[in-house]
Amino acid sequence: MEPATMAWTAGLVGAGLVYWFVWVMGAAEVKGKRAVDLKMGSITRDKVQDKYTQYWSFFRRPKETATTQASADKVPAFVDTFYNLVTDIYEWGWGQSFHFSPSLPGRSHRDATRVHEERVADLLAARPGHRVLDVGCGVGGPMRAIAAHSGAHVVGITINEYQVNRARAHNRKARLDAQCEVVCGNFMAMPFDDASFDGAYSIEATCHAPRLQDVYAEVYRVLKPGRLYVSYEWVTTPLFRADDPAHVEAIHGIERGDALPGLRRQDEIASIAQEVGFEVVQELDLALPPSLPWWTRLKMGRLAYWRNSLVVRVLTLLRIAPKGVVEVHEMLYETAQHLTLGGETGIFSPMHMVVLRKPADADAEAEESSK
């Protein structure tokens, strides 16, 4: 074959691969992100690498990030940075629901995710006419599933303005914008009136709070008396051993790569809820058998990892994606390995469920105590 012909052939093959990987290999869900649309949230292109470096410097020692009030006060800003960095990559590779779910026999990951979300609506007994709060809503995948399943009006809050805009766009595309509302704010100081919600839930979101008490107290405040709050919490389980270096590295890897100021123990959750006034209705680790493994989606093969890595590198080289995307993708891949190990060893659960009730006489007691 002539050199010119070989060069043309190689060029066509290369162009075909780029087209396949970047344009054909689209989003994980029908209305999600494509690889060519990867941004870094609201961070300008020239600041992505710096923001990633600042984030990594802050969270590289997870147990130290919230040991003082000064560092704890910085956590929300760095969580905001984290979601600017990862939101588009999550949508591209994962979909619109940024959480795990137990696998279901013969069902897709998308189906399993929807079932996991609808469980929340059923536990809350949400129905038309109810106003339900999504605490840490992300781009609103669970919100839309719960609104469609229950008929309730769902209000979501997220600290990240880019996610607010993404969620609103998805709500319009799903024709649920009249039923789903999204607010930008800190869930540790929510801009809602007391006793203004008929139910509330959080799905793998409160793990970002330096103090779980602060989130639970806010949810307690905005709930109507007698109403329920359902939360899926990220926790270490009783199988975790602090004297096992492999266990410690896995948990620290999860914390570093997911903007967590320190994972809580499973046995702490109920007592924290009771501390702020909640009654514990139910407590159950949804990751335990007979549930099937939640981490199967993370077990990416070498070919799949190489493909995705190649995509982000090509996009960066072509200046379609900003510098820093490669580093963020690598961080998320390493975090996936730690999460997988946490699941396989049983030392970590992303779905320790608590169902909490605000006492029916809570407001009367509060009024009496204030006299």
Side-chain angles (χ1 to χ4, degrees):
M1 186 180 292
E2 295 292 328
T5 304
M6 292 178 65
W8 273 105
T9 302
L12 287 171
V13 170
L17 286 171
V18 170
Y19 176 80
W20 175 263
F21 285 138
V22 177
W23 275 272
V24 177
M25 194 186 76
E29 299 205 13
V30 175
K31 296 182 177 67
K33 278 278 180 181
R34 294 189 313 163
V36 289
D37 298 322
L38 294 181
K39 302 175 184 176
M40 294 286 104
S42 58
I43 302 174
T44 57
R45 294 176 63 92
D46 60 324
K47 298 294 184 183
V48 171
Q49 199 123 38
D50 288 343
K51 287 292 186 181
Y52 169 75
T53 300
Q54 291 168 18
Y55 165 80
W56 192 249
S57 296
F58 185 74
F59 276 105
R60 68 184 174 193
R61 299 185 183 92
K63 294 300 181 184
E64 299 175 16
T65 54
T67 53
T68 66
Q69 189 59 49
S71 60
D73 288 345
K74 295 177 183 177
V75 169
F78 279 103
V79 171
D80 182 35
T81 295
F82 173 76
Y83 279 111
N84 274 324
L85 292 170
V86 306
T87 290
D88 281 347
I89 295 178
Y90 277 2
E91 280 203 60
W92 170 50
W94 196 262
Q96 297 169 23
S97 295
F98 297 173
H99 64 81
F100 298 104
S101 59
S103 300
L104 297 176
R107 305 281 292 276
S108 68
H109 293 307
R110 190 174 181 181
D111 287 343
T113 297
R114 183 60 56 89
V115 168
H116 196 54
E117 293 165 349
E118 290 177 350
R119 178 200 292 263
V120 170
D122 294 339
L123 287 166
L124 293 175
R127 60 179 185 270
H130 279 186
R131 187 169 182 251
V132 175
L133 175 63
D134 184 327
V135 183
C137 65
V139 299
M143 171 194 300
R144 289 181 287 279
I146 288 168
H149 180 67
S150 68
H153 183 88
V154 183
V155 180
I157 183 169
T158 172
I159 201 168
N160 184 258
E161 187 174 357
Y162 182 72
Q163 289 190 335
V164 170
N165 295 329
R166 290 295 297 162
R168 288 173 178 169
H170 287 310
N171 291 344
R172 289 192 295 270
K173 290 177 183 177
R175 298 182 179 179
L176 288 168
D177 48 315
Q179 200 178 335
C180 296
E181 179 184 346
V182 191
V183 174
C184 189
N186 186 339
F187 56 32
M188 293 183 291
M190 294 190 282
F192 306 124
D193 292 337
D194 295 355
S196 56
F197 287 94
D198 299 289
Y201 66 89
S202 52
I203 300 180
E204 303 183 25
T206 57
C207 49
H208 293 299
R211 280 173 33 92
L212 189 60
Q213 292 90 331
D214 295 338
V215 190
Y216 279 9
E218 273 294 270
V219 175
Y220 185 91
R221 178 183 66 79
V222 303
L223 265 184
K224 294 178 181 178
R227 302 297 188 173
L228 296 176
Y229 169 46
V230 176
S231 186
Y232 294 168
E233 296 289 345
W234 280 31
V235 295
T236 58
T237 75
L239 295 178
F240 171 72
R241 297 202 312 274
D243 60 349
D244 186 323
H247 285 195
V248 172
E249 177 55 28
I251 295 303
H252 283 185
I254 292 169
E255 293 167 336
R256 287 193 300 266
D258 283 299
L260 308 183
L263 280 166
R264 282 167 274 273
R265 299 193 318 269
Q266 193 173 73
D267 61 3
E268 293 180 289
I269 306 303
S271 59
I272 290 173
Q274 291 167 332
E275 179 183 326
V276 304
F278 278 116
E279 299 170 350
V280 179
V281 177
Q282 185 181 7
E283 187 175 16
L284 179 66
D285 186 354
L286 299 177
L288 294 176
S291 293
L292 297 177
W294 53 266
W295 60 88
T296 53
R297 290 182 74 182
L298 293 169
K299 294 179 74 68
M300 184 183 296
R302 290 185 179 275
L303 179 60
Y305 167 69
W306 173 82
R307 176 196 63 192
N308 291 351
S309 181
L310 176 63
V311 168
V312 295
R313 290 176 187 279
V314 169
L315 290 173
T316 303
L317 184 64
L318 297 176
R319 298 187 178 181
I320 296 172
K323 289 183 179 179
V325 174
V326 172
E327 288 84 350
V328 175
H329 180 262
E330 293 291 328
M331 177 188 75
L332 295 179
Y333 176 73
E334 289 180 12
T335 306
Q337 309 312 301
H338 293 303
L339 286 162
T340 300
L341 181 60
E344 290 176 335
T345 58
I347 64 173
F348 164 76
S349 172
M351 54 190 73
H352 182 73
M353 182 187 74
V354 286
V355 181
L356 311 173
R357 177 184 287 114
K358 181 175 180 177
D361 58 353
D363 286 356
E365 289 182 3
E367 185 177 338
E368 184 65 29
S369 64
S370 65
K371 291 180 180 179

